[in-house]
Amino acid sequence: MTTGLEALRDLILDAAALSQALDAIADPETFAARAAEAARAAGLPVEADEVRAAVRTASIPPAERAIAPPGWLPAEVSDLDGRTVVGWRWFGPRRLTAPFYADDLMEAGYRPLNRLARLQTPMPGPDDRPTRAPDGLVFHMSRCGSTLAAQMLAAAPANVVISEAPPIDAVLRLAIEDDAKVAALRAMVAALGQARAGEIRLFLKLDCWHVRDLPLFRRAFPDTPWVFVYREPVEVLVSHLRRRGVQMIPELVPSARLGLATPQTPDADYCAQVLAALCEAAARHYPAGDGRLVNHADLPEALFTAILPGFGVALSDDETAAMRAAGARDAKAPGQDYVPDGEAKRREAGDDLRAISERRVGDVYRRLEALRSDQP
């Protein structure tokens, strides 16, 4: 039997205007009062203290729907009794502006609306909403300026930028045939890339290991151009030895997914092997076409001289100004100015790390540089 709180949850799911009005309220006390008021107006026996408790504990079970309404974005993919299900969060017209999609999800998850009204569906299907091919795909080596490029793109209100979305990675991890995976990828991107505030362009910045799945992305979006951003390897190694990315931890990103043997110890040499595997994939797939190679040293200007021209995007003066302003800020800490750190990282590296970098990544880095120099 549906409870009053569950009926309120369903009311919110079915009324985008109510969702948007309630989502504008961040204070739990005010939210509880307004939600209870909306419930009583609909004839539902719900009191503010019940709403307040449900928000605090996120205890109302998620609604089971076949399709998510507009304005809800995929948050996580999980297995439920042998079924692949997707959890969703309400964003409405709010733009995605954080450095990573996970940051936007975290912020949305704290909002009272998303703690009260939760939603769960099967994996999106190809007929759920119109397929939306991205205008550009950003692959990268990691710690190489790709987040800067994504934040610059996101500075233009006409752009939707999905940056390293966990639901995309979850699709790529599914144990299904490639044809089914291509269909699931298209459906997931259509769900993530909804134009919720009048946006006209969509860009995907992928996780670094997704460059190994580049042929799958090309099958899903054959007309979408792509870019691979990379950097002097020893600088990237220093960054990961300061603070390891998940791709350097085999328990989080299995070595087999990178085409590597699982190490006894994921040391600096293993980190260098990971970088080499990513760069090798980019160099291997580059001749197939529609891609551009961009060295970190050429950013942020390369966004205007290489990336956007490669994507076939012409900017207005206002968009250019907004993107240039974003390019002057630290991509992962937008409240701070960007400070070049390449020289400091090279000094920090030391002879041993430089030797590891050269042995593992030197050759493929030079191949990328040669291919880049031949680009039109």
Side-chain angles (χ1 to χ4, degrees):
M1 181 176 178
T2 302
T3 67
L5 284 171
E6 290 170 341
L8 173 59
R9 173 203 65 198
D10 293 342
L11 178 67
I12 291 170
L13 290 173
D14 292 333
L18 178 58
S19 296
Q20 187 168 336
L22 290 176
D23 187 52
I25 305 171
D27 174 64
E29 294 291 328
T30 306
F31 176 88
R34 289 287 300 278
E37 180 182 316
R40 289 193 296 272
L44 302 177
V46 175
E47 299 298 328
D49 59 346
E50 295 179 89
V51 176
R52 189 180 305 111
V55 168
R56 185 177 65 253
T57 60
S59 55
I60 302 176
E64 295 274 356
R65 297 287 178 92
I67 299 173
W72 293 79
L73 297 186
E76 63 270 328
V77 178
S78 58
D79 181 86
L80 179 65
D81 300 327
R83 296 181 297 125
T84 301
V85 298
V86 179
W88 302 72
R89 289 185 189 151
W90 167 262
F91 279 83
R94 277 190 291 122
R95 298 188 65 243
L96 304 174
T97 57
F100 300 98
Y101 184 64
D103 298 328
D104 285 304
L105 284 177
M106 183 179 298
E107 194 278 333
Y110 286 131
R111 301 183 73 82
L113 176 73
N114 280 309
R115 294 182 63 78
L116 177 69
R118 295 186 294 152
L119 172 64
Q120 189 170 275
T121 73
M123 180 69 71
D127 299 324
D128 288 356
R129 47 180 53 84
T131 298
R132 187 175 185 189
D135 293 273
L137 303 172
V138 179
F139 298 95
H140 58 101
M141 180 185 186
S142 83
R143 311 287 175 86
C144 60
S146 60
T147 303
L148 173 64
Q151 284 284 276
M152 292 174 73
L153 290 170
N159 298 339
V160 176
V161 179
I162 308 296
S163 183
E164 301 189 13
I168 289 179
D169 189 58
V171 167
L172 296 175
R173 289 177 184 246
L174 292 174
I176 56 179
E177 297 294 327
D178 278 359
D179 286 349
K181 194 171 290 189
V182 165
L185 182 59
R186 288 174 178 157
M188 183 60 76
V189 169
L192 286 164
Q194 299 173 52
R196 297 170 292 104
E199 301 95 340
I200 59 173
R201 308 186 196 104
L202 170 63
F203 301 99
L204 300 185
K205 179 206 166 193
L206 291 313
D207 286 299
C208 65
W209 54 92
H210 293 163
V211 69
R212 291 178 51 83
D213 297 304
L214 204 157
L216 193 75
F217 281 92
R218 298 289 290 138
R219 282 188 58 191
F221 309 110
D223 298 322
T224 297
W226 59 274
V227 64
F228 180 73
V229 185
Y230 63 103
R231 184 174 184 171
E232 170 64 49
V234 75
E235 296 174 13
V236 182
L237 281 172
V238 167
S239 178
H240 280 291
L241 293 180
R242 289 176 179 173
R243 181 173 58 84
R244 302 282 175 114
V246 295
Q247 67 272 32
M248 303 303 184
I249 304 172
E251 293 81 6
L252 300 179
V253 178
S255 302
R257 196 166 182 203
L258 300 166
L260 300 173
T262 302
Q264 289 187 337
T265 303
D267 54 11
D269 187 73
Y270 178 74
C271 293
Q273 291 182 57
V274 170
L275 299 184
L278 303 177
C279 292
E280 286 282 357
R284 182 170 64 253
H285 299 314
Y286 176 77
D290 289 330
R292 293 190 71 85
L293 304 173
V294 172
N295 193 307
H296 169 272
D298 295 330
L299 290 170
E301 192 60 26
L303 184 81
F304 306 103
T305 61
I307 296 176
L308 287 170
F311 290 166
V313 173
L315 300 176
S316 68
D317 291 344
D318 286 347
E319 287 177 317
T320 299
M323 290 186 187
R324 287 195 180 281
R329 299 193 293 270
D330 187 307
K332 295 176 182 176
Q336 303 175 19
D337 292 338
Y338 171 69
V339 178
D341 62 356
E343 183 178 347
K345 286 177 175 174
R346 290 191 298 274
R347 285 198 308 268
E348 183 179 331
D351 292 341
D352 289 346
L353 190 62
R354 280 191 286 269
I356 290 171
S357 176
E358 173 58 28
R359 183 174 69 253
R360 293 294 191 183
V361 203
D363 284 347
V364 68
Y365 177 77
R366 285 185 287 274
R367 281 168 52 205
L368 289 172
E369 286 288 83
L371 291 168
R372 182 174 66 91
S373 68
D374 290 337
Q375 290 180 153

